[in-house]
Amino acid sequence: MTQLVLFNITNGLIIGAFYVLMALGLSLILNLSNVINFAHGGFLVIGGYIAYSLTPYVGFWGALVLSPLLTAVIGLLVERVLIRPLYGRDPLYSLLLTFGLAFIIEDGTRLIWGAQGLPVSVPAVLARPLSNDLFFITGYRLFMVVTVAVVVTALFLLLRYSRAGLRIRAGTLDLETVAALGVNVRALRSLNFAVGIFLAGLSGVLASGQLGLESTMGANLLMPSFIAIIVGGVGSLSGTLLGGLLIGVASGITTVFFPSASEAVIYVMMALVLLLRPRGLLGEEGMLT
C-alpha cells in the first residue's frame, strides 16, 4: 500500500510539473496582456511534435533545446499577426480567437503528423529506474522534475532581477504608466508572450517523453492549468506554482482511493478555494509575486 501511494504521489508530482509550466506561461500572458490564451495547449503540442521531428537530426538533447525556442518563434509570429490587433479590446475577442486557433493547431498537427499517437523514445540512460524497489522513479522522471525546477527558478530570477522582468512586473500593475515612462510596450508584450509560449513548448517536449505524442494532449492539460492559476491566485506566479503542484498531488493521491474521482478532485479544490478565498491561495489582484 505504501508503495502504491508513493507511486501515485510521484505521478501527481510529474503531472503537477506539467501543470506548473503550462500555468506559468498562461499566467504571464494573462497578467500583462489580458489575453486568455486557449491555444496554449496547442503550442504545447507544437513543441512536442517539433521535438519529435528534430530528434533524428539533432538528438534528444538538441531537440530539447531547439524545440521550445522554435515554438516561441511561432508564438511570436502569432502574437504579432493575430493577437496584437486585439490589445485594448474586450478580452472576449482574444478568447474566441485563441479558442479557434486551438482547433486549427490540433487539426494541423493531425494533417502533418497523422491522427495516430506517436511513441517518443528518451535516452537509454534516462529510461532506467533508479532501483528495483522504486521501479516507477526513472531517470527521466527525475530529470523532468529537476528541469522544471531549474526553469521555474530561472523565470523567477528573470522577473525579479532583470530589467525586462522588472518592466513586465510593473506592466501588470499599470501598463499605461510604464508606456508613459518610455518603455516600448509592444516589444514588452511580445517578449512576455514569447516566454509564455517557450514554457508551453518545453512542457510539450518533456510531456511527449513521458506520455507519448497525440494531437489532443495539449487540450487535456490546458484546463487543469487554468485551475492551477485559479487555485494559486490570478496574478501570483508563486501561487500558480503552488496551485499546479497541489492539484497534481491531490489527483495522484485520489487515484489510490477513488480512481474515478481523480479528475473531479481538482474541480472540487477550485470550488472550495473560490468559496473560501476568491483571490486564490496566494493571489493579490494585479500582482506578480
Side-chain angles (χ1 to χ4, degrees):
M1 186 64 179
T2 301
Q3 194 174 53
L4 179 62
V5 172
L6 184 58
F7 170 74
N8 283 281
I9 290 176
T10 302
N11 282 342
L13 284 173
I14 297 299
I15 298 298
F18 295 145
Y19 294 158
V20 165
L21 281 184
M22 284 281 287
L24 286 175
L26 282 167
S27 187
L28 280 173
I29 295 169
L30 175 63
N31 291 335
L32 182 64
S33 302
N34 204 26
V35 171
I36 304 172
N37 184 18
F38 265 93
H40 208 68
F43 287 108
L44 176 146
V45 173
I46 289 175
Y49 276 107
I50 290 177
Y52 175 81
S53 300
L54 289 177
T55 298
Y57 304 100
V58 299
F60 172 81
W61 303 108
L64 179 65
V65 174
L66 292 177
S67 181
L69 293 174
L70 292 174
T71 306
V73 171
I74 295 172
L76 188 60
L77 293 175
V78 169
E79 188 270 342
R80 290 192 173 184
V81 175
L82 297 178
I83 296 178
R84 181 176 290 182
L86 301 181
Y87 289 146
R89 298 189 181 185
D90 191 313
L92 181 62
Y93 287 98
S94 61
L95 186 152
L96 293 174
L97 171 67
T98 57
F99 187 75
L101 182 60
F103 286 104
I104 293 173
I105 293 174
E106 185 174 320
D107 287 342
T109 54
R110 286 198 188 104
L111 179 65
I112 297 172
W113 287 281
Q116 300 298 321
L118 298 174
V120 176
S121 59
V122 299
V125 67
L126 296 178
R128 294 192 293 265
L130 298 184
S131 68
N132 292 330
D133 293 332
L134 301 176
F135 63 91
F136 47 85
I137 303 180
T138 63
Y140 186 73
R141 290 187 164 204
L142 186 61
F143 167 75
M144 283 191 296
V145 172
V146 172
T147 300
V148 171
V150 170
V151 170
V152 170
T153 301
L155 175 65
F156 276 69
L157 292 175
L158 174 72
L159 291 173
R160 186 166 296 275
Y161 297 110
S162 72
R163 178 175 296 182
L166 292 174
R167 289 175 175 176
I168 289 173
R169 294 174 64 201
T172 62
L173 298 175
D174 192 339
L175 195 58
E176 292 183 359
T177 300
V178 171
L181 293 173
V183 175
N184 187 334
V185 171
R186 284 190 174 185
L188 189 66
R189 278 172 160 165
S190 296
L191 173 64
N192 182 72
F193 194 90
V195 171
I197 298 303
F198 174 88
L199 296 177
L202 178 61
S203 183
V205 180
L206 296 175
S208 64
Q210 176 67 24
L211 307 174
L213 266 176
E214 57 181 353
S215 58
T216 59
M217 62 185 291
N220 296 334
L221 294 172
L222 180 64
M223 191 53 65
S225 301
F226 275 116
I227 293 174
I229 295 175
I230 296 170
V231 170
V234 176
S236 172
L237 292 185
S238 55
T240 298
L241 171 63
L242 176 63
L245 293 177
L246 281 178
I247 65 173
V249 173
S251 179
I253 294 176
T254 304
T255 302
V256 180
F257 304 100
F258 305 101
S260 60
S262 60
E263 292 186 11
V265 67
I266 65 176
Y267 295 95
V268 172
M269 289 180 63
M270 179 184 69
L272 290 174
V273 169
L274 289 176
L275 286 172
L276 300 176
R277 186 175 172 83
R279 287 188 177 181
L281 297 177
L282 302 180
E284 293 184 38
E285 188 175 358
M287 291 294 290
L288 264 177
T289 57

